[in-house]
Amino acid sequence: MNFTKLDYCQYLLSSPINYTVTNLADHLDGISHDRINRYLRGEKLTPHLLWDNIKPLLQESENAYILFDDTVLDKRYSASIELTRRQYSGNEHRVIRGIGLISCVYVNGETGQFWVVDYRLYDPDGDGQSKLDHAAVMLNGVVESSQLPFTTVLMDSWYATQKLMAQIDQLQKVYYCPLKTNRRVDDSRGTQPYQRIDQLVWSAEDLQQGKLIKIRGFPANKKMKLFRVTVSTNRTDFVVTNDNAQASTDAVQDVCGSRWKIEEFHRQLKQLTGVEACQCRKARIQRNHIACALLVWSRLKTIAYRTGQTIYQIKYGMLSNYLIEQLKRPSVHMTLA
């Protein structure tokens, strides 16, 4: 019996809680743990495989958004696993040991449906690439290789660098991204020194229409629009855009709302595919496991779109069918004294 990536993906799709290779071998006749391990060590699954599977399903939109963000796959108790390193986790709000995953998500501007079209693993010791380098490569890939139509790039404050913003400008695309409150900007057209964003004075007109600023370190003629966006009662974002014609804070807030699609994706990936569960030490096995987890998420999302259900209903529906069967014909009978 041959063991393939389809078998491994089916396991990640079907398993409710345990996603280890040992558990898989225990539930397959004629396939040993060593055989699965050898397959995962010898296979080389790449982000291009994800694109090959997504391409026929993706619904393009001229008004689409491209989203960039990263997350940490938690490996805090696995210091011996290759690819792991100590890095800041936004979910934990602290530094933990894990594998950094940088994702590129395509959002249909009309329907709000979204697909993961590319990803990279953060491994600066192995490839010398920063998260910003990976984002730049993926952005070029969306334009040149995938040739996907889109108008706007949404990203986190981590990616708000002069180099990446200039790349988006050269592509003649629009970007929106929050800036950290300690970034220094000038809203006086050069008459006053740079000051922190959180120290700017906002008039009633500024709050409604934004204000024109220059960020310190950017070219002298590079002006952008800055908006103060209320996210919640306890949080305010300062969002910058190269669309200087934008004059509505409400419109900016609506656009930035699409950025949470990538947070939704990361949460679903971790909760439903076992992407963090692989305990194998070798980097190649970790890469292949993550690639298969992404394929499983894509499959679940495709079924969810087709059936009008949530991705959680699809996954947990399999457990519901099991419970119904066990209640009718239990394999282990309950007894009482």
Side-chain angles (χ1 to χ4, degrees), residues 188-245:
S188 67
R189 291 178 170 81
T191 61
Q192 300 292 330
Y194 289 98
Q195 57 183 319
R196 289 170 54 110
I197 284 181
D198 56 2
Q199 295 177 348
L200 294 177
V201 176
W202 294 77
S203 67
E205 182 180 2
D206 291 337
L207 291 173
Q208 292 180 353
Q209 301 180 10
K211 60 169 62 188
L212 200 64
I213 65 159
K214 178 188 176 298
I215 303 176
R216 188 171 70 174
F218 281 57
N221 62 345
K222 181 59 181 176
K223 302 296 191 296
M224 289 172 275
K225 275 302 252 327
L226 182 69
F227 294 84
R228 182 171 176 169
V229 177
T230 301
V231 179
S232 66
T233 54
N234 299 318
R235 177 177 169 184
T236 298
D237 279 352
F238 296 93
V239 178
V240 69
T241 178
N242 59 344
D243 182 9
N244 291 341

Side-chain angles (χ1 to χ4, degrees), residues 90-141:
N91 289 336
E92 297 287 335
H93 302 291
R94 62 190 180 94
V95 174
I96 65 171
R97 177 169 289 278
I99 299 175
L101 172 67
I102 306 102
S103 308
C104 177
V105 169
Y106 184 87
V107 182
N108 185 298
E110 281 73 40
T111 66
Q113 293 185 351
F114 61 97
W115 300 263
V116 183
V117 296
D118 205 351
Y119 71 95
R120 294 291 187 276
L121 298 185
Y122 180 51
D123 181 26
D125 295 333
D127 57 25
Q129 300 292 300
S130 69
K131 293 178 182 179
L132 292 170
D133 294 330
H134 287 307
V137 170
M138 289 191 288
L139 179 58
N140 281 335

